[in-house]
Amino acid sequence: MHSADATSYAWIIRTLVTCREEADRLKLGDLSNLINMAVLQTALDWEGEEPSNGNETSLDALLRLKMKLAFSERSDNVVLLNSKTAGEA
């Protein structure tokens, strides 16, 4: 993957997380869950993974890695999602 592509994926994740934080502030739980799913899908697309090819642990690790990479460009503050906020019921 090209560096420009990785930068674009990181920007998308940061933007989605900012939107999720605003949805949380407004107490829009359904919207927040949808945005969490979009963050996970973006991480999967970034890595080129299919959800059916991995187990829950590897998907969680992938999401955490991509979140860390996305936010490392902006600041030292890395927002990690726990399993409940990552859209799992």
Side-chain angles (χ1 to χ4, degrees):
M1 171 173 299
H2 300 296
S3 176
D5 290 342
T7 300
S8 294
Y9 279 109
W11 178 84
I12 291 169
I13 288 175
R14 287 192 305 270
T15 302
L16 286 168
V17 169
T18 299
C19 292
R20 191 208 67 227
E21 289 169 350
E22 186 65 13
D24 287 343
R25 187 184 71 75
L26 295 171
K27 296 180 177 36
L28 300 172
D30 290 340
L31 180 59
S32 181
N33 288 336
L34 286 171
I35 294 170
N36 283 332
M37 288 186 266
V39 169
L40 177 58
Q41 185 60 54
T42 304
L44 291 169
D45 290 346
W46 186 353
E47 191 65 19
E49 293 284 331
E50 288 294 321
S52 60
N53 294 341
N55 61 36
E56 185 176 328
T57 304
S58 64
L59 291 177
D60 185 50
L62 172 66
L63 178 60
R64 289 177 180 277
L65 171 64
K66 295 305 181 179
M67 294 289 289
K68 185 175 182 178
L69 290 172
F71 281 88
S72 67
E73 293 180 7
R74 187 180 75 174
S75 71
D76 292 334
N77 297 325
V78 177
V79 177
L80 297 178
L81 304 175
N82 65 36
S83 61
K84 289 188 179 182
T85 61
E88 298 174 17

